């Protein structure tokens, strides 16, 4: 809502066709002229050749190909704010995180260190993790400008005008 344009990039041609169909349906209902574009191909190649600057990027890489860290670093490099999943803060939950395809606080911090955004907020905690702030020392040793996200947390971001 309120965006000028959205680009979706999908490698699989069948999924791209489904996205195009959904985009056409959305465009029929859209009143403010938002452009919805679907591109079939490799997301990394798309981003390298993109003429646009993106304010927000959502990533859902094909986990079977184990591209998530590379994709996240690529998209988060130099960002003002990097909002990242941190399902588990406890060091003994690394195996569980891998099993359920989630990230630990430490993994998120390592990605942030490589991408070097201005700030990182951890979110999407395990229901068993009641006090994420207890594990933030590990995170801030790796990436100092990290915060444990919480309900109602907000920030004003200044976007460049086109």
């Amino acid at each position: 809502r309120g965006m000028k344009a959205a680009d979706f990039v999908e490698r699989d041609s069948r999924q791209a066709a489904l996205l195009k169909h959904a985009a056409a349906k959305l465009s029929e209902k859209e009143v403010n002229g938002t452009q919805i574009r679907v591109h079939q191909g490799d997301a990394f190649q798309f981003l390298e050749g993109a003429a646009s600057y993106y304010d927000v990027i959502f990533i859902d890489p094909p986990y079977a190909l184990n591209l998530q860290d590379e994709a996240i670093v690529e998209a988060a490099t130099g960002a003002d704010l990097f909002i990242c999943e941190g399902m588990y803060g406890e060091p003994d939950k690394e195996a569980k995180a891998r099993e359920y395809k989630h990230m630990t606080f430490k993994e998120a911090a390592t990605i942030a260190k490589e991408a070097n955004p201005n700030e990182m907020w951890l979110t999407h905690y395990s229901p068993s993790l009641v006090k994420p702030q207890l594990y933030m020392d590990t995170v801030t040793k790796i990436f100092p400008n990290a915060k444990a996200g919480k309900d109602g947390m907000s920030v004003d971001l200044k976007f460049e005008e086109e």
Side-chain angles (χ1 to χ4, degrees):
R1 192 172 357 174
M3 64 185 152
K4 293 179 185 174
D7 285 293
F8 294 85
V9 183
E10 173 58 52
R11 181 180 298 204
D12 183 270
S13 59
R14 289 172 296 161
Q15 295 299 322
L18 288 172
L19 281 170
K20 285 179 183 177
H21 179 73
K25 290 260 186 216
L26 282 173
S27 293
E28 291 171 8
K29 296 178 183 180
E30 194 60 51
V31 291
N32 69 357
T34 300
Q35 291 182 307
I36 302 172
R37 299 175 294 256
V38 177
H39 311 272
Q40 198 262 314
D42 180 81
F44 292 115
Q45 290 175 353
F46 175 81
L47 284 173
E48 284 175 10
S52 299
Y53 171 84
Y54 293 93
D55 294 324
V56 178
I57 298 176
F58 293 98
I59 298 174
D60 186 18
Y63 290 97
L65 298 178
N66 210 18
L67 296 173
Q68 58 272 14
D69 290 2
E70 181 184 348
I72 296 167
V73 167
E74 176 88 19
T77 296
D80 291 326
L81 177 61
F82 172 44
I83 301 174
C84 189
E85 173 198 59
M87 181 62 73
Y88 303 104
E90 310 92 329
D92 62 331
K93 300 270 177 109
E94 288 183 24
K96 190 171 187 175
R98 273 192 297 285
E99 179 184 353
Y100 291 103
K101 308 224 181 309
H102 286 290
M103 269 197 258
T104 64
F105 280 24
K106 188 175 179 181
E107 289 172 312
T110 302
I111 288 171
K113 181 179 179 180
E114 189 174 341
N116 198 29
N118 291 336
E119 187 174 22
M120 175 182 70
W121 293 358
L122 288 172
T123 63
H124 192 62
Y125 310 124
S126 165
S128 66
L129 184 62
V130 232
K131 295 188 178 186
Q133 63 275 18
L134 296 177
Y135 303 97
M136 288 305 291
D137 283 350
T138 303
V139 174
T140 55
K141 284 179 184 166
I142 299 168
F143 185 76
N145 206 11
K147 294 179 181 171
K150 59 185 179 200
D151 287 347
M153 194 168 174
S154 67
V155 65
D156 288 325
L157 298 174
K158 308 291 186 225
F159 294 107
E160 294 178 17
E161 293 295 323
E162 289 185 43

